[in-house]
């Protein structure tokens, strides 16, 4: 199986300075790095075994995108939230998009770069050029931190073409500006819910 055929690499960055008509405590960056690649399963009626292409593509794509994302953040030490996304063009299956991001050979590249322990939130879908590429994010080590339930969204006007896949990763350098809704663990404590989602018996 050949290595990825990459048509372009796209990076996206926004820096939030004011939210809710109030200056943020510190500038907050929401970032993304994406590769537009040829779908390795293009033109095939159906492929039972996706693993050869996963093995040939996933690690390379992680190695390609992670350093670019870290550079946008100003260094891995500034990353507090992360996530991933894939969009397959009209001639592909959603499974094709999923295959290249739902493997530790891809996700661990980002997780290890920032010392993360949380699962990478994700989206995977089929769409055409100019679609919204939405990358949901969570805190890199605290999955219950609602302050870091974020989404970075961007578009690529000419991608994905019908025979392409967009592979993307995202990062945030802080939580939502002025976040004030608490976190999941606080709710669980207040409601008497254990970590396995069972109710604590009343005393």
């Amino acid at each position: 199986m050949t290595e990825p055929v990459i048509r372009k690499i796209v990076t996206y960055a926004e820096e939030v300075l004011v939210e809710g008509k109030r200056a943020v405590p510190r500038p907050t960056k929401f970032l993304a790095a994406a590769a537009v690649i040829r779908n390795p399963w293009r033109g095939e009626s159906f492929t039972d075994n996706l693993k050869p292409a996963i093995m040939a593509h996933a690690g390379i794509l992680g190695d390609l995108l992670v350093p670019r994302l870290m550079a946008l953040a100003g260094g891995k030490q500034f990353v507090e939230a992360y996530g991933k996304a894939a969009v397959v063009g009209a001639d592909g299956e959603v499974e094709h998009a999923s295959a290249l991001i739902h493997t530790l050979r891809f996700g661990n590249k980002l997780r290890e770069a920032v010392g993360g322990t949380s699962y990478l939130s994700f989206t995977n879908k089929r769409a055409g050029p100019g679609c919204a590429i939405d990358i949901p994010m969570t805190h890199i080590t605290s999955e219950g931190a609602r302050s870091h339930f974020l989404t970075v969204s961007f578009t690529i006007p000419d991608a994905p073409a019908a025979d392409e896949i967009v592979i993307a990763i995202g990062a945030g350098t802080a939580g939502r500006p002025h976040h004030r809704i608490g976190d999941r663990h606080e709710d669980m404590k207040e409601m008497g819910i254990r970590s396995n989602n069972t109710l604590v018996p009343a005393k």
Side-chain angles (χ1 to χ4, degrees), residues 154-172:
F154 64 104
T155 64
I156 305 174
D158 64 348
D163 64 346
E164 292 180 329
I165 305 175
V166 176
I167 302 295
I169 53 175

Side-chain angles (χ1 to χ4, degrees), residues 3 26 99 105 141:
E3 294 182 352
R26 58 187 170 97
R105 293 172 178 82
T141 59

Side-chain angles (χ1 to χ4, degrees), residues 184 188 193-199:
R184 187 170 184 271
M188 292 172 68
I193 300 174
R194 295 192 178 99
S195 59
N196 62 359
N197 288 328
T198 60
L199 289 172

Side-chain angles (χ1 to χ4, degrees), residues 61-114:
L61 292 170
D63 288 336
L64 178 76
L65 296 176
V66 169
R68 286 171 168 79
L69 190 67
M70 297 303 101
L72 289 174
K76 62 185 181 182
Q77 69 272 24
F78 296 111
V79 175
E80 294 186 10
Y82 56 20
K84 60 187 177 181
V87 184
V88 67
D91 289 347
E93 301 174 42
V94 175
E95 189 74 357
H96 297 164
S98 301
L100 295 180
I101 63 170
H102 295 308
T103 167
L104 296 180
R105 293 172 178 82
F106 178 78
N108 272 4
K109 301 288 184 176
L110 179 53
R111 191 177 292 108
E112 291 171 358
V114 300

Side-chain angles (χ1 to χ4, degrees), residues 4-46:
V5 177
I6 301 167
R7 179 164 69 84
K8 65 165 62 178
I9 298 168
V10 176
T11 57
Y12 172 83
E14 61 179 271
E15 190 168 349
V16 179
L17 305 177
V18 177
E19 179 77 7
K21 300 180 181 180
R22 178 179 293 184
V24 303
R26 58 187 170 97
T28 302
K29 295 179 180 179
F30 301 117
L31 314 161
V36 180
I37 70 167
R38 183 182 297 166
N39 185 339
W41 302 285
R42 70 195 183 286
E44 299 182 22
S45 57
F46 191 86

